[in-house]
Amino acid sequence: MTATTAPSRLQAALGRAQRDPIPVKAHLELTYACRWRCLFCYNPRHHDVDPLSGEEWIGVLDGLRALGTLGVSLTGGDPLAHPDFLSIARAARRKGLVVKVLTNGSLVTPELARELAEIRVKDVEISLHGASAETHDRVTARPGSFDEVWQAVDVLRGAGVRVVLKTPLTNLNAGEWEEMARMAAEREIPYAIDPLVVPRDDGDPGPLAYSAPVEAMERLFGRLADEGLLRRPRPRTPGELNCGVGWSGLAIDPEGNAYPCLQWRVSSLGNVRQTSVEQLWRHSPAREEAVAISRQANDRLALMDGPFAARWFCPARAHLATGDPMAFDDGFVREATAAARVWQARTEETA
C-alpha cells in the first residue's frame, strides 16, 4: 500500500466497486515495442502504428482518476520502450495512482532503477521463462535475455525497488518451474506462475501450440495445494458476476482503443482520442455487453456440477480460442481437470 492510498479510501473504493462498475485497476499497454520475441506472445505485433504520446496518456490518467481508478499496470510490449515512460509513471503517482510495471527487464538501467525507486512504484514484474539460459533464450528468441533478467533484478533490488518474477507455464519450460521457484525463493523474490497461454489478441491461435501438458499443471497445482495456495473450488450463486470484465477492469492499447479487460477483444469500447475514457466507460454498449456475458457465464456454471463449475472461467480467453465467449476452451478444460484431480487426491488422503 502506498502513502497516497489510505485504508479508508481503498476500502471505500472497493465497496463502491461491489455495487457499481468502477475500473479499480487499469492495464495501460503503452507500446507493442519489445526487444524479445517470445514464441507464445499474445501481442499481435511488435511495433506501433500510431501510438499515444506521453501527453495523451497523461490525459487518460486524469480520466481514470475521475472514474475512481486506484491503480494502473504499465505494460506492453515493454512499457520501458515508450519514449515518455517515466513521464507517464511520474504523472500516475502524482495523481495518487498505485503503479505497477510489467517489463522483460532488458531496458533497465541503474538510472532508471533509481527513478522508479524515487517514484515509489508498487513493484516491477519481470518475466522468467526458464531456469537456464538455454531454455529461457529459446523462448524469448533473444540470446542473452536470461542474463538480462537477472541483471535487471539485481539493479532494481539494489535501488530498493520491489521485484516480482512471473512465469507463463509452457511445454518449453514445464520441467523447470520447480527450479525457477527455488531460484526466486533463494533470493526472497515473490514468484507467480500462470498455467495457461492464450491466443494472440487478433485471434491467432499460434501460441496455443506451446500450452503446458496436463501433467505439468497437476504438479503445479499439487505444489500449490501443499503450500495452501491453491484456490479452493468456490460455489456459484445465480446472478453474480463471473469476473470483473466490464465491471472492475479496463485496458487501453497503444493506439488508444479501450477494452473492458486486458484479454477482452470481442469489441472495443471506443478510442480515447475520439471520446474521453470517462464517457467510454460510462456509456459504452460494449462494456454493458461484456458485463451481461459475465453474468451469463456465471449462471451457466452455477447450474453445473463437477470441476467446471468450481473453476475460474475467462469468457475473453474463450472467445479468443473458440470465437464464442461462452464456450469452454481447451485451456480451461485442461486447467479445471488438473485442479479437480489434485483436490480429489487431497480429499482422499485426508478421508
Side-chain angles (χ1 to χ4, degrees):
M1 181 178 297
T2 68
T4 58
T5 308
S8 58
R9 175 188 157 200
L10 175 62
Q11 293 167 2
L14 293 177
R16 290 197 305 274
Q18 293 293 319
R19 303 185 301 270
D20 303 302
I22 297 173
V24 176
K25 181 178 179 181
H27 286 83
L28 309 183
E29 297 179 294
L30 301 188
T31 176
Y32 283 134
C34 183
R35 299 175 74 188
W36 292 2
R37 293 294 182 267
C38 297
L39 300 176
F40 55 85
C41 181
Y42 63 79
N43 282 338
R45 47 191 158 87
H46 298 287
H47 65 278
D48 299 323
V49 175
D50 186 18
L52 298 182
S53 66
E55 183 178 353
E56 288 175 309
W57 277 116
I58 292 171
V60 169
L61 295 174
D62 288 329
L64 292 174
R65 286 295 292 117
L67 286 170
T69 300
L70 294 179
V72 293
S73 291
L74 304 183
T75 181
D78 184 355
L80 304 188
H82 192 289
D84 296 317
F85 165 77
L86 277 175
S87 296
I88 297 166
R90 289 193 193 101
R93 292 296 294 120
R94 283 198 307 270
K95 298 174 190 301
L97 293 164
V98 175
V99 174
K100 184 181 183 72
V101 180
L102 284 66
T103 176
N104 60 37
S106 66
L107 294 175
V108 170
T109 63
E111 294 75 19
L112 176 65
R114 287 193 292 270
E115 291 275 8
L116 293 176
E118 181 179 337
I119 293 170
R120 296 179 66 188
V121 298
K122 178 178 182 292
D123 55 50
V124 175
E125 187 173 288
I126 298 179
S127 299
L128 178 65
H129 297 295
S132 65
E134 179 182 4
T135 299
H136 185 280
D137 294 0
R138 177 188 175 196
V139 173
T140 65
R142 178 178 171 82
S145 60
F146 181 76
D147 293 335
E148 288 177 339
V149 166
W150 293 111
Q151 180 178 345
V153 167
D154 291 341
V155 169
L156 287 165
R157 298 182 79 200
V161 178
R162 183 176 185 269
V163 175
V164 175
L165 289 172
K166 66 173 182 180
T167 296
L169 189 66
T170 69
N171 57 15
L172 301 174
N173 61 20
E176 299 184 13
W177 69 262
E178 291 99 335
E179 177 63 14
M180 287 185 278
R182 185 193 64 77
M183 295 166 74
E186 284 183 347
R187 296 166 173 81
E188 299 183 339
I189 301 174
Y191 180 62
I193 306 177
D194 187 343
L196 294 177
V197 297
V198 298
R200 293 194 175 89
D201 286 347
D202 59 5
D204 179 357
L208 299 180
Y210 298 99
S211 296
V214 174
E215 294 76 14
M217 291 187 184
E218 289 187 25
R219 289 203 320 275
L220 171 60
F221 292 152
R223 169 80 169 268
L224 293 176
D226 291 341
E227 298 178 358
L229 299 176
L230 181 62
R231 286 187 296 181
R232 291 184 175 277
R234 68 180 183 92
R236 292 177 179 268
T237 302
E240 292 182 342
L241 291 169
N242 171 74
C243 60
V245 60
W247 193 269
S248 59
L250 176 67
I252 302 174
D253 76 12
E255 279 89 42
N257 300 302
Y259 299 92
C261 88
L262 185 61
Q263 288 189 316
W264 184 271
R265 305 295 157 143
V266 179
S267 56
S268 169
L269 308 186
N271 192 285
V272 298
R273 279 179 165 142
Q274 284 77 50
T275 308
S276 70
V277 68
E278 304 106 294
Q279 292 297 311
L280 292 178
W281 180 262
R282 290 173 174 147
H283 304 294
S284 170
R287 185 190 66 76
E288 296 175 358
E289 175 191 5
V291 173
I293 289 175
S294 178
R295 293 193 191 280
Q296 291 170 20
N298 175 78
D299 291 352
R300 178 188 179 193
L301 289 164
L303 297 174
M304 299 178 65
D305 293 321
F308 292 176
R311 291 299 295 173
W312 176 77
F313 172 69
C314 179
R317 188 179 67 201
H319 180 268
L320 285 172
T322 71
D324 181 355
M326 298 296 292
F328 293 155
D329 58 284
D330 181 65
F332 170 73
V333 171
R334 290 186 300 108
E335 181 188 23
T337 301
R341 288 175 180 169
V342 170
W343 277 120
Q344 182 178 356
R346 294 301 187 274
T347 300
E348 292 173 351
E349 289 172 1
T350 57

